[in-house]
Amino acid sequence: MKVVYSHDGGPFLVWTLVVQLVLRGSGVYATNGTKNCKLLTESASEREVLNRLEPLAYKNFTAVTNNGTESYTYVFQLCGDAGGIQGAGVVQFETKKMKATVIGMYNATQAIGGSDWVILFYGNGESYHEHCSKEMRKAMIMISCNRGTSSDQMKVALEVRQRAQDCFYLFELDSSAVCPPLESHLSTGSIILIIGFCLLSVYLLGGFLYQRLIVGAKGMEQFPNYAFWLEVGNMTADGCDFVCRSGNREEAPAYRGVATEPLEEEPEERDDYLLPM
């Protein structure tokens, strides 16, 4: 990192880390990812937690805080040189004083995790000058699952330094890297239905194309095995009629309705004309 002086004598910090960030993002410095982190106590469980964070390797995460007139920028890199400072996992840059302070080193790493979260500890940072019995700084990075985030965002949660010891910086980072894999919630019956629906679709589409293009069928005849399914439908209807309907199945005698109109009176036969005159 360089300090360059302008013509008016005012120093300003040129962050050569910008170039390094681009090179790391392009994979120029890519080596072993999370294997660069040195655990305080090597264990299979902690190493497994670190391996879950492999998608975050070679990426730099920044957060900016303002405390009155003071402004600080924090840079975190997983198992890599944050801010271009060798061995630094978390670095604090003070804007006005152009000063860089190492908060935690990745050669003193601890990692614990749950199903959808990981907490990373970086120790052996620079010592406090006045606070916390002048112990070395350390950083805690809480990485939580968030599937909806488009880019991993880091923020400073708090800084605890009003103690005699065990002071720390706490950072929060939302990422999809620690999210558990999504499990399928389909039951066996649902899978069978999906398979059956797919087979039925293939049968109908393939049969339709065959009947139309090969056989040359038209209209309802294009339906595959049309005669068979028509017979199945008729037999099903007969079975339903036999099982579901009740009562005498013989045809009931037909009754002729009574006419409502009055019958015409037949004319009275008169045989007077038969008598001899």
Side-chain angles (χ1 to χ4, degrees):
M1 189 173 295
K2 299 179 181 178
V3 177
V4 181
Y5 292 86
S6 61
H7 296 291
D8 59 358
F12 64 93
L13 187 63
V14 177
W15 290 11
T16 58
L17 66 94
V18 175
V19 177
Q20 296 174 0
L21 300 185
V22 174
L23 293 176
R24 290 179 188 277
S26 61
V28 174
Y29 290 122
T31 53
N32 294 322
T34 57
K35 294 181 180 179
N36 292 333
C37 279
K38 183 178 179 181
L39 296 171
L40 290 177
T41 303
E42 186 68 35
S43 66
S45 59
E46 288 192 60
R47 183 59 62 181
E48 183 180 355
V49 172
L50 274 176
N51 291 338
R52 291 172 55 191
L53 302 177
E54 187 69 32
L56 302 180
Y58 315 120
K59 294 181 180 180
N60 284 273
F61 306 94
T62 60
V64 179
T65 60
N66 296 302
N67 186 9
T69 58
E70 298 179 345
S71 178
Y72 299 94
T73 300
Y74 297 87
V75 180
F76 158 64
Q77 186 175 150
L78 177 66
C79 303
D81 300 334
I85 301 177
Q86 187 174 4
V90 179
V91 181
Q92 177 195 67
F93 293 99
E94 190 174 351
T95 306
K96 280 192 173 182
K97 297 181 180 180
M98 307 302 169
K99 179 183 178 182
T101 303
V102 177
I103 298 177
M105 308 286 287
Y106 61 81
N107 62 0
T109 302
Q110 293 177 281
I112 58 175
S115 60
D116 59 353
W117 58 270
V118 169
I119 299 180
L120 200 63
F121 299 88
Y122 282 160
N124 295 348
E126 294 185 24
S127 300
Y128 287 96
H129 298 293
E130 299 176 357
H131 305 283
C132 306
S133 304
K134 298 183 179 181
E135 70 175 3
M136 290 188 293
R137 291 174 170 86
K138 59 184 176 183
M140 298 172 56
I141 303 96
M142 177 177 288
I143 307 173
S144 304
C145 168
N146 187 350
R147 300 184 190 275
T149 182
S150 57
S151 60
D152 301 329
Q153 301 291 333
M154 186 180 74
K155 64 179 181 180
V156 182
L158 57 90
E159 177 189 358
V160 178
R161 63 178 184 177
Q162 306 301 328
R163 297 179 177 179
Q165 57 183 2
D166 293 331
C167 300
F168 61 90
Y169 293 78
L170 177 62
F171 303 90
E172 293 180 350
L173 177 64
D174 290 337
S175 175
S176 60
V178 296
C179 294
L182 294 175
E183 298 180 358
S184 175
H185 297 286
L186 293 177
S187 63
T188 305
S190 300
I191 296 175
I192 294 175
L193 288 176
I194 293 174
I195 295 175
F197 178 78
C198 293
L199 294 177
L200 179 61
S201 300
V202 172
Y203 167 75
L204 292 177
L205 181 60
F208 175 83
L209 294 176
Y210 176 80
Q211 290 292 108
R212 183 174 181 84
L213 301 178
I214 305 300
V215 180
K218 302 294 182 179
M220 293 298 295
E221 298 293 333
Q222 297 175 97
F223 192 86
N225 302 111
Y226 174 73
F228 170 76
W229 293 115
L230 185 63
E231 183 66 22
V232 170
N234 293 334
M235 294 178 65
T236 303
D238 293 341
C240 181
D241 179 71
F242 179 79
V243 173
C244 299
R245 294 185 180 180
S246 60
N248 189 2
R249 302 181 184 278
E250 296 180 358
E251 186 179 356
Y255 292 92
R256 184 178 299 173
V258 178
T260 56
E261 298 180 358
L263 297 177
E264 295 181 0
E265 295 183 0
E266 296 181 358
E268 183 180 355
E269 294 184 359
R270 302 181 63 86
D271 52 356
D272 295 342
Y273 66 90
L274 298 178
L275 296 177
M277 297 298 295

